[in-house]
Amino acid sequence: MNFQIKALVTGGNGQLGYDVSKQLSQIGIKVITTTKDNLDITNEKRTRQFIIETKPDIIIHCAAYTAVDKAEEEQEICYSVNVEGTKYIAQSAQEINAKLVYISTDYVFNGSGNTPHAITDLINPVNYYGQTKAEGEEIVKNYIQEHFIIRTSWVYGINGHNFVKTMMHLGESKKKIQVVDDQIGSPTYTKDLATFISNLIQTENYGTYHGVNEGYCSWYQFAQEIFAQLAQDMKIVPISSQAYITKAQRPKNSRLSTVATENIGLEKLPHWKNALKRYLQEIKEK
């Protein structure tokens, strides 16, 4: 790919949008990034105008309402961003014949069972955020033939708030914490996910993929590994989801199968423990 390829990245100041923009620039793609300050995707007229004027070859739609608990109370706001905003972007992409990458989530599944969710598993969200992301997937499929839907989970990156940073912050003031041990998934480093996205969009293997670091763990095991890699003493007490009440229900099984990535011969993301090590190094160097 070269400088003639132009990509529009929405949510450019978010964890993933930041790393995607950086990665695409490094491989010679001209990148236009938007944030809610310079593009309100819930404004149909402005979104259409912006996309038609900039005329990107591909849109990587990272912008989303992701406050999972607040979404239960702010359903209208969540819907306007995740559903209507996605629709306006997809309609505009269709108009200029641009490819579209839609970032989705493990939350489109209900989290039952203990085996990795396949691409084709039944969509059945257990919370409102997941419902809006599932609706976004359908919109993208309906409007754009040349699309990539990438479901991910438990993301963390240098540019934003996340579980790793929360644990590090707690480590500064506490000696003992409680962490949920019955939700299983794949912690995913946005830098690795950005590399996966940039590799995938250079193919014509359109469709749905699961973009997650390899391996699985509980939040409790993730916390254990964080403090182990930091060589920091912390007493971590495992608790159940029932003991940790949140407004939005979380899927207990967030394992995502990456067989679709294997099938097209694309490199999988590294193991989550390896990713965590590199992330902690990135934080250290910042």
Side-chain angles (χ1 to χ4, degrees):
M1 293 186 124
N2 55 47
F3 282 106
Q4 292 171 320
I5 299 288
K6 194 194 292 182
L8 171 64
V9 179
T10 67
N13 60 346
Q15 291 190 104
L16 181 58
Y18 177 82
D19 279 331
V20 166
S21 299
K22 209 168 163 185
Q23 174 63 24
L24 295 181
S25 295
Q26 284 172 358
I27 63 167
I29 291 177
K30 184 180 179 185
V31 180
I32 302 155
T33 60
T34 69
T35 68
K36 58 185 174 186
D37 294 330
N38 68 348
L39 178 63
D40 176 5
I41 63 169
T42 66
N43 182 323
E44 183 176 9
K45 188 180 175 184
R46 176 72 186 119
T47 301
R48 180 177 177 269
Q49 181 187 13
F50 188 93
I51 289 172
I52 285 170
E53 282 176 4
T54 54
K55 208 171 182 189
D57 301 291
I58 187 163
I59 300 169
I60 294 98
H61 182 31
C62 300
Y65 181 108
T66 57
V68 179
D69 289 319
K70 276 176 79 177
E72 298 296 318
E73 296 171 341
E74 298 183 349
Q75 292 192 359
E76 281 183 28
I77 300 169
C78 182
Y79 186 89
S80 69
V81 176
N82 292 352
V83 181
E84 290 176 345
T86 298
K87 184 181 176 183
Y88 303 151
I89 285 167
Q91 284 174 332
S92 305
Q94 183 192 51
E95 200 171 333
I96 62 165
N97 201 28
K99 296 174 186 179
L100 180 59
V101 178
Y102 175 71
I103 306 303
S104 191
T105 172
D106 57 302
Y107 281 28
V108 300
F109 299 118
N110 67 8
S112 62
N114 54 17
T115 57
H117 289 291
I119 296 295
T120 52
D121 277 5
L122 180 70
I123 299 297
N124 186 20
V126 294
N127 57 46
Y128 192 73
Y129 163 72
Q131 178 61 42
T132 61
K133 294 302 286 183
E135 288 184 47
E137 286 191 12
E138 283 308 305
I139 286 165
V140 170
K141 287 177 192 172
N142 290 337
Y143 279 98
I144 309 287
Q145 198 173 349
E146 295 184 342
H147 71 261
F148 300 99
I149 292 169
I150 301 171
R151 298 184 189 128
T152 189
S153 70
W154 298 17
V155 295
Y156 60 92
I158 200 73
N159 207 49
H161 302 292
N162 57 60
F163 184 79
V164 184
K165 287 183 180 178
T166 299
M167 291 300 105
M168 292 174 77
H169 179 67
L170 289 173
E172 291 170 7
S173 57
K174 295 185 182 295
K175 296 289 180 193
K176 181 181 173 182
I177 57 172
Q178 294 182 326
V179 183
V180 169
D181 75 337
D182 59 358
Q183 294 171 21
I184 313 294
S186 300
T188 302
Y189 184 19
T190 50
K191 205 174 223 184
D192 290 342
L193 183 53
T195 300
F196 174 73
I197 292 167
S198 72
N199 290 338
L200 185 60
I201 65 172
Q202 293 178 74
T203 76
E204 293 183 352
N205 295 304
Y206 304 112
T208 304
Y209 295 87
H210 290 160
V212 288
N213 280 108
E214 287 296 299
Y216 310 109
C217 64
S218 67
W219 288 110
Y220 167 70
Q221 290 167 323
F222 190 22
Q224 282 185 311
E225 185 64 23
I226 292 165
F227 288 109
Q229 290 200 19
L230 289 169
Q232 188 174 338
D233 283 336
M234 172 65 78
K235 183 168 174 55
I236 308 168
V237 181
I239 59 167
S240 69
S241 299
Q242 283 179 313
Y244 185 73
I245 305 299
T246 54
K247 284 195 175 74
Q249 190 183 336
R250 262 69 169 176
K252 286 193 174 180
N253 177 22
S254 284
R255 301 171 183 89
L256 298 177
S257 167
T258 55
V259 168
T261 302
E262 265 183 275
N263 291 344
I264 61 166
L266 211 61
E267 198 174 331
K268 289 184 175 188
L269 282 69
H271 193 276
W272 70 266
K273 287 186 180 181
N274 171 280
L276 176 62
K277 186 179 180 181
R278 286 179 287 113
Y279 177 62
L280 292 174
Q281 188 61 36
E282 186 185 7
I283 287 177
K284 197 176 170 184
E285 289 169 359
K286 195 178 179 186

